[in-house]
Amino acid sequence: MAVAYKDLLDPAHLTRIENYSLMAKAAVEGFLSGMHRSIFHGFGTEFLQYRNYVPGEDLKYLDWKVYAKRDELVTKVFQEETSMNCYFVIDASASHHYQGDRAACSKLRYACMIAASLAYLATRQGDNISLFAYQDSIVEALEPGHRNGQLHRFLQALTRLQPTGSANHEKLLKSITHHMRSRGLVVYLSDMLEAEDTLPRMLQNLNLQHCDCLALQILDPDERDLPHGYPIRYIDSETNQEVTTFADSVRGDYQEAMDKFMGDLKRGFRRAQVDYKPLLTTDHLGHALSQYLHHRESIV
Amino acid sequence: MLNFTNSLFLFALAGLAVPILLHLINRELAVNLKFPSIRFIHRSQMPRKEKRKLRDLLLLLLRMCLYAAVVLAFAKPVWVEPIPEVVAGGSSQQTIYVVDASSSMSRGSAWANAVNAVQRDMTEDDAQERGLIVFADRVLTQIQPTTDGDSLESALQGITPAFTAGNPGTALDTAVRLFRPETDQRLVLVSDFQETDWQRDLPGVPENVEMVFLAPSVSDASNIGIVNVNTVPVGKNQARVLVSLRNFGEDSETLNVTLNGEGISEEKQINLPAGQSGNLTFLLDVEEAIALSANIPADSYNRDNVWHFWVAPPPVVRVYAFLPNLDEPQAVNAFYFLQTALEVESETDWVRFEVTALDRGFFEASLLEEADVVIVPAAGSYLRDDQWEDLKAYLNLGRTALLLPGEGFPKHFRALEKNDIMQSRFLGLAGNTNERQLPYHLNYINPSSRLAQTFGDGAGKDLFLVNVYRYVRLQASSEDTVLMAFENGEPALLSLAVGQGTAYAATFAFDPSWTDLPLRNSFLPLVRELVQEGFDTDRLRNKLFMEEALGLSDSVEVPGALELDGQFVEVNVNPSESVSGRVDTEQWLPALLSQKPLYAKASSSSAPLPGAGGVETPLWPWLLMIALLCLFLESLVTGMKDTLQPSAMGKADPA
């Protein structure tokens, strides 16, 4: 039975693919085949194919040699090449290890799947890709590039990520900002917990570096509704603080506080003119991919 | 009535307290869950637990029911249908007659007097219901209490005393159970009250049961009985018959004892003083097995005047000795000494040994199977691995082997270790031929061995004077039995259990360079006893009393010399029935019976005695079904519980 393209973007489906390369290819091809159009061929430097000349097109792309041999007007199509860098910044702190019953993967795995898919897409479009992953320090760093092997190195770095420690957003985002020397798109992936005050401000600074920023917040569905029905001793992944409670009793207050947190975050990013998209680990990757393409178009 | 076959299992019901305690102790514990952030999670009150309590109570009940059902199933309960009442409405008095019909009751007119005593009592007694139990070694006839007195009389008329000894215990127990509780109970014991029957562990009789002892008059005439007959071989074709008699009377008697059989009629006279025993011997030419009987003239008790027995040439015990190399002097010497010791004619053993030497090529499994005993005299080092395997397979059949070391002793004992025949560890050699001035001596014989009977008391003196100049030192394992040991505690002779069989391993060669044992008087009995220690001579001849024979075969009805399943069986009346001593029925016996518990009370777990109850219905299959049902329901409730509980601990990190 054929797999629908939407299924290819379902984390429950993609998480079965251990290899990030295959997973990214499956997600992106599935996503693109669903769009029914190709907008990514341009006039770069790398020859891609010939197509018939359409009156009105710039004559400089006509292949005169073909015209001389065959008496046909054909236009050279080149692989689009841009000087755009796509920076992926991933928060790999311990809180990203969580995986509730409804999710097919942990938050970090979901973030990596998004990063892999977007990186694959970016590479296909000729963009340079770069990776920064941090916890209380930078754990993975990959300089921008688009040559052969860059995607492979990118995916290998994702594979090595293990969610441990606590995240020091302020310090590390400052550090990462120094590495961004040219314009580009920053895709920031994090659960953004307890950072609604600092993150919008930090990501706003990236605009000063001529970078457009896309903040993708990744949460597990359990973090939204606290579904557990029995007494549980909750242990904070990063601080190891404990609180024993019965979720049924505190669910209302929790959801209210969580909504407020999300609202504050949304307002903060809007003020900082940073695009913000909250995602649950059960959401299709298509949401992230379309957000990315939307931003890229606006930049290019 | 509910009975338990294995009532000891009922103690396990105490284990029911465990789930209750666990239930009381156990409380709902919070599950640890690592969560991304607890910033918005506040502490709260624990939930109300009525639902949980109800569910857990159901689980507790199911688990207790499951446990109880399993325990009760192991106790094997049976439902015994109560004995139906003979007369509806009941009556005020019941009398049960317990009549002894053991062999001793055939003495003179004892049985007729016993029957008359019962009839007379029935006439004089005004009981509305009467029951009857006739016993010998078991209950022979049982009639439940009934108003039909004629049925009791006709039953008694059709009975003659059995050929077995008496065992009144079962009869008493059955009789007490036949009484209905609400009636006046009267128990009439009719017996000669012979000491050998009544001086045993008997069940008690409840205090409310009136006991009456009726001892029929027994003739005081003298009685002489044959108490045993033994036969031993003399040479190859002769047998010596030893007849043992006892005068149970109070006067000295002279009588003729005759042996009768196929073509044989021998007679001898013997004088027996009062209360004394005597023996007579007959020497008979015997070429094949024949059934004979020893007879004495009739007297007041005739069943001990004849003794049936078999006379047969002694059975041959085949002994194969492995003698691979005639140039090996120690092996040849050992073989010679053993052959001489085993083939010597003995009047005390009812077997005849035939010793055959086997060359190297003939030591194989098929040939070994024909042997009753295998000897490896100083030749173990010549055996190949496959031949050791054959020897082990032979021992596994339940046979016997005698293993003696020689000059190649290291290889011999290493092979024993390697083939798992001996578990003890080979340590080396102690002594040598140049140290004869300091020989080693034996000083221990395992008291539970057959050797201890032969060499007990002073008979072992010669054995303990045996000089051993050198021997192989072994570290004895607990799995091997030390039969003989030296003064320093090191083993001299080991009994090695191999499967069903036994191997005897000596730690010194039967050779003058190792020991002077073969030249000692104790050598012959040592070797013969050693070989017979693992060789069951009793399997060649079976002496049974009537009560034992009845347990083996229903075809045995009267005493005689029989051939059952290829074995010669001698079945005779138990000489204990000839004893004229009586128990005191006025003081000692009533006191004994009143102080003892009932069999039923003492061993309520035992199965009901024959005839004591009605149809038995085993209940354990039902209990197992209940247990399975409880298990299913428990799984169901547990599953529901798990479903209701979110799998908070599911994929989350273990804290």
Side-chain angles (χ1 to χ4, degrees):
Chain A
M1 193 175 72
V3 179
Y5 85 92
K6 280 193 289 186
D7 291 340
L8 286 172
L9 299 171
D10 187 350
H13 175 79
L14 290 172
T15 195
R16 291 183 219 144
I17 306 172
E18 287 294 324
N19 187 306
Y20 274 123
S21 178
L22 286 178
M23 185 279 300
K25 188 175 181 183
V28 173
E29 300 297 344
F31 176 70
L32 295 182
S33 65
M35 294 181 71
H36 298 297
R37 66 191 181 104
S38 179
I39 58 170
F40 310 107
H41 296 161
F43 302 95
T45 56
E46 193 172 341
F47 172 74
L48 189 65
Q49 65 184 40
Y50 288 111
R51 63 174 167 79
N52 290 328
Y53 171 76
V54 177
E57 280 185 340
D58 194 342
L59 291 176
K60 71 178 180 181
Y61 295 113
L62 271 177
D63 192 323
W64 297 110
K65 288 181 182 176
V66 174
Y67 176 70
K69 288 177 184 175
R70 301 187 194 168
D71 195 20
E72 285 181 24
L73 288 173
V74 291
T75 306
K76 279 182 178 178
V77 180
F78 293 87
Q79 172 70 49
E80 183 181 36
E81 279 192 4
T82 67
S83 58
M84 194 190 82
N85 292 330
C86 188
Y87 301 97
F88 292 91
V89 181
I90 298 177
D91 175 3
S93 59
S95 62
H96 292 76
H97 189 48
Y98 185 78
Q99 178 187 349
D101 282 341
R102 288 168 286 182
C105 59
S106 68
K107 293 198 293 182
L108 181 67
R109 168 82 173 165
Y110 187 81
C112 289
M113 283 162 58
I114 290 175
S117 303
L118 297 184
Y120 179 86
L121 192 57
T123 308
R124 183 177 162 146
Q125 292 176 278
D127 295 341
N128 297 323
I129 55 171
S130 171
L131 173 69
F132 294 98
Y134 68 93
Q135 292 159 358
D136 51 356
S137 61
I138 293 177
V139 291
E140 290 289 348
L142 190 65
E143 286 295 315
H146 72 280
R147 298 294 177 194
N148 288 343
Q150 177 73 356
L151 180 63
H152 177 71
R153 284 190 291 276
F154 185 94
L155 299 179
Q156 284 295 310
L158 291 182
T159 310
R160 288 193 294 270
L161 288 181
Q162 293 294 330
T164 53
S166 57
N168 192 339
H169 303 294
E170 191 157 0
K171 172 187 165 191
L172 291 159
L173 282 175
K174 270 183 186 174
S175 170
I176 290 168
T177 306
H178 291 304
H179 293 273
M180 298 173 179
R181 297 190 184 92
S182 57
R183 72 183 186 91
L185 172 63
V186 176
V187 179
Y188 178 71
L189 295 145
S190 169
D191 55 10
M192 304 179 190
L193 293 174
E194 307 184 24
E196 69 269 33
D197 297 331
T198 55
L199 272 178
R201 181 166 43 81
M202 295 304 299
L203 295 182
Q204 186 183 22
N205 291 341
L206 293 173
N207 288 333
L208 303 175
Q209 303 284 334
H210 307 289
C211 287
D212 195 10
C213 189
L214 170 62
L216 299 177
Q217 185 188 23
I218 295 162
L219 294 174
D220 189 278
D222 288 1
E223 293 177 88
R224 295 304 308 270
D225 51 18
L226 208 65
H228 315 121
Y230 270 71
I232 288 182
R233 181 180 296 113
Y234 292 96
I235 302 168
D236 194 294
S237 302
E238 298 187 16
T239 63
N240 281 330
Q241 288 180 323
E242 297 178 4
V243 59
T244 303
T245 191
F246 184 59
D248 286 347
S249 306
V250 299
R251 186 171 296 118
D253 292 342
Y254 177 85
Q255 286 175 338
E256 195 176 317
M258 200 66 189
D259 288 343
K260 181 176 181 304
F261 161 71
M262 300 283 283
D264 290 347
L265 209 54
K266 191 173 178 180
R267 278 189 293 280
F269 280 120
R270 193 165 55 226
R271 273 198 295 272
Q273 296 182 325
V274 172
D275 277 349
Y276 159 75
K277 175 74 177 171
L279 294 169
L280 294 178
T281 49
T282 48
D283 290 343
H284 282 206
L285 263 60
H287 295 296
L289 288 168
S290 59
Q291 283 285 328
Y292 168 79
L293 290 177
H294 171 73
H295 271 265
R296 188 183 176 282
E297 274 191 292
S298 65
I299 294 169
V300 179
Chain B
M1 184 169 57
L2 189 63
N3 273 328
F4 291 94
T5 310
N6 302 323
S7 63
L8 283 180
F9 273 103
L10 296 178
F11 286 109
L13 285 176
L16 283 174
V18 175
I20 297 173
L21 287 174
L22 286 177
H23 179 77
L24 291 174
I25 293 168
N26 191 23
R27 61 190 176 82
E28 194 168 29
L29 297 173
V31 178
N32 285 350
L33 176 64
K34 274 206 169 180
F35 203 65
S37 171
I38 61 168
R39 180 183 173 192
F40 304 128
I41 302 175
H42 305 295
R43 197 178 299 277
S44 76
Q45 295 293 321
M46 288 296 113
R48 296 176 67 192
K49 296 182 179 174
E50 281 77 8
K51 280 186 180 177
R52 175 181 175 273
K53 276 183 179 174
L54 184 66
R55 192 166 54 240
D56 286 357
L57 200 62
L58 186 61
L59 268 179
L60 174 71
L61 286 175
L62 283 171
R63 284 168 183 169
M64 287 175 67
C65 189
L66 170 66
Y67 181 79
V70 171
V71 169
L72 290 174
F74 274 110
K76 284 197 173 176
V78 288
W79 178 259
V80 183
E81 292 293 335
I83 301 166
E85 293 180 7
V86 177
V87 177
S91 58
S92 59
Q93 184 174 333
Q94 284 187 323
T95 296
I96 293 176
Y97 296 94
V98 177
V99 184
D100 181 1
S102 64
S103 183
S104 62
M105 289 296 285
S106 67
R107 181 191 294 259
S109 58
W111 178 248
N113 294 342
V115 173
N116 287 337
V118 172
Q119 288 172 336
R120 193 164 49 250
D121 187 82
M122 288 171 66
T123 310
E124 294 169 359
D125 180 38
D126 55 355
Q128 283 79 7
E129 290 180 29
R130 297 180 181 88
L132 174 68
I133 287 174
V134 181
F135 74 93
D137 63 314
R138 66 200 74 183
V139 174
L140 302 176
T141 303
Q142 173 184 328
I143 297 177
Q144 292 167 7
T146 175
T147 53
D148 182 11
D150 294 340
S151 63
L152 270 66
E153 290 188 29
S154 58
L156 276 175
Q157 296 296 341
I159 292 173
T160 53
F163 285 94
T164 59
N167 179 8
T170 309
L172 282 173
D173 195 75
T174 308
V176 172
R177 292 195 197 191
L178 287 181
F179 282 123
R180 273 209 316 278
E182 69 273 15
T183 57
D184 294 335
Q185 298 161 358
R186 183 168 174 264
L187 188 66
V188 181
L189 305 181
V190 186
S191 171
D192 55 2
F193 297 104
Q194 197 178 27
E195 282 177 352
T196 48
D197 289 348
W198 290 86
Q199 283 184 348
R200 59 171 76 202
D201 187 24
L202 297 174
V205 175
E207 288 180 355
N208 60 323
V209 177
E210 179 193 355
M211 280 193 291
V212 177
F213 301 96
L214 296 181
S217 59
V218 179
S219 168
D220 291 332
S222 66
N223 175 40
I224 295 175
I226 302 173
V227 294
N228 195 16
V229 173
N230 259 332
T231 59
V232 290
V234 180
K236 290 186 178 177
N237 297 314
Q238 281 191 312
R240 196 183 305 280
V241 178
L242 184 71
V243 182
S244 302
L245 302 109
R246 183 177 178 85
N247 184 353
F248 295 99
E250 295 178 352
D251 300 318
S252 179
E253 294 280 346
T254 301
L255 71 160
N256 291 329
V257 179
T258 57
L259 295 187
N260 296 312
E262 294 175 28
I264 290 178
S265 180
E266 299 265 345
E267 186 173 84
K268 282 191 177 180
Q269 197 175 59
I270 186 173
N271 179 265
L272 287 172
Q276 298 291 309
S277 297
N279 295 321
L280 268 181
T281 56
F282 296 84
L283 191 64
L284 303 177
D285 293 329
V286 182
E287 293 185 355
E288 58 182 4
I290 52 172
L292 293 175
S293 64
N295 300 280
I296 58 174
D299 52 24
S300 62
Y301 177 54
N302 289 324
R303 289 187 175 177
D304 61 359
N305 292 345
V306 59
W307 190 277
H308 303 276
F309 62 97
W310 283 95
V311 175
V316 174
V317 175
R318 284 182 295 275
V319 180
Y320 285 0
F322 180 56
L323 203 61
N325 187 359
L326 291 174
D327 295 332
E328 173 74 51
Q330 291 187 358
V332 174
N333 284 343
F335 174 74
Y336 167 74
F337 288 128
L338 288 166
Q339 185 183 32
T340 307
L342 289 172
E343 290 190 344
V344 72
E345 290 182 356
S346 166
E347 291 193 9
T348 54
D349 295 330
W350 199 63
V351 288
R352 185 164 60 82
F353 292 98
E354 273 186 10
V355 183
T356 308
L358 283 187
D359 199 355
R360 188 195 301 267
F362 294 97
F363 196 90
E364 58 173 14
S366 59
L367 205 59
L368 288 181
E369 283 181 10
E370 298 174 2
D372 294 305
V373 179
V374 165
I375 298 178
V376 182
S381 56
Y382 292 95
L383 285 175
R384 299 189 307 267
D385 285 349
D386 60 314
Q387 290 175 319
W388 279 111
E389 290 289 328
D390 289 346
L391 179 63
K392 194 174 175 185
Y394 162 82
L395 288 168
N396 277 324
L397 295 174
R399 308 289 174 78
T400 306
L402 180 58
L403 311 171
L404 305 171
E407 284 305 323
F409 62 87
K411 194 175 175 188
H412 173 87
F413 282 102
R414 297 280 186 216
L416 287 178
E417 285 184 54
K418 181 184 167 189
N419 289 282
D420 273 344
I421 294 173
M422 182 180 75
Q423 308 304 322
S424 303
R425 204 157 61 85
F426 170 66
L427 297 177
L429 188 69
N432 59 58
T433 50
N434 299 324
E435 292 180 353
R436 292 194 177 186
Q437 65 274 23
L438 290 171
Y440 303 96
H441 295 291
L442 301 166
N443 87 331
Y444 168 79
I445 298 175
N446 192 319
S448 60
S449 69
R450 184 169 174 152
L451 294 177
Q453 297 170 15
T454 307
F455 294 102
D457 303 326
K461 191 173 181 181
D462 181 69
L463 190 63
F464 292 155
L465 290 174
V466 166
N467 292 320
V468 178
Y469 311 118
R470 52 178 172 158
Y471 67 92
V472 175
R473 296 181 59 230
L474 296 177
Q475 187 177 42
S477 160
S478 57
E479 294 177 43
D480 299 334
T481 308
V482 178
L483 292 183
M484 293 198 305
F486 294 108
E487 288 168 325
N488 57 11
E490 294 194 330
L493 183 67
L494 289 170
S495 171
L496 316 173
V498 184
Q500 303 286 323
T502 311
Y504 297 98
T507 58
F508 53 94
F510 288 0
D511 180 87
S513 65
W514 288 63
T515 177
D516 62 359
L517 174 64
L519 310 176
R520 292 275 182 176
N521 291 336
S522 47
F523 181 66
L524 188 143
L526 174 69
V527 170
R528 292 182 73 97
E529 291 298 329
L530 196 58
V531 169
Q532 292 187 58
E533 172 124 3
F535 185 80
D536 185 12
T537 52
D538 289 343
R539 70 185 165 88
L540 303 170
R541 194 158 175 248
N542 289 307
K543 287 181 172 182
L544 299 174
F545 296 128
M546 273 301 290
E547 53 271 22
E548 297 167 330
L550 288 172
L552 290 177
S553 170
D554 294 335
S555 62
V556 181
E557 293 177 348
V558 292
L562 313 169
E563 193 173 349
L564 291 175
D565 299 330
Q567 292 206 334
F568 300 134
V569 181
E570 300 170 5
V571 182
N572 289 287
V573 175
N574 195 328
S576 68
E577 287 297 290
S578 303
V579 174
S580 53
R582 306 281 181 264
V583 295
D584 181 357
T585 56
E586 291 186 358
Q587 291 185 354
W588 184 82
L589 189 57
L592 176 73
L593 292 176
S594 62
Q595 289 168 5
K596 291 263 185 173
L598 265 177
Y599 277 175
K601 286 180 182 171
S603 56
S604 60
S605 62
S606 60
L609 294 160
V615 180
E616 294 174 6
T617 310
L619 300 178
W620 63 266
W622 294 97
L623 288 166
L624 281 185
M625 285 176 62
I626 292 171
L628 286 174
L629 183 65
C630 289
L631 189 65
F632 171 73
L633 290 174
E634 198 264 355
S635 307
L636 203 64
V637 175
T638 310
M640 283 171 59
K641 184 177 176 181
D642 290 343
T643 309
L644 289 170
Q645 182 170 3
S647 49
M649 50 299 252
K651 296 174 186 174
D653 296 337

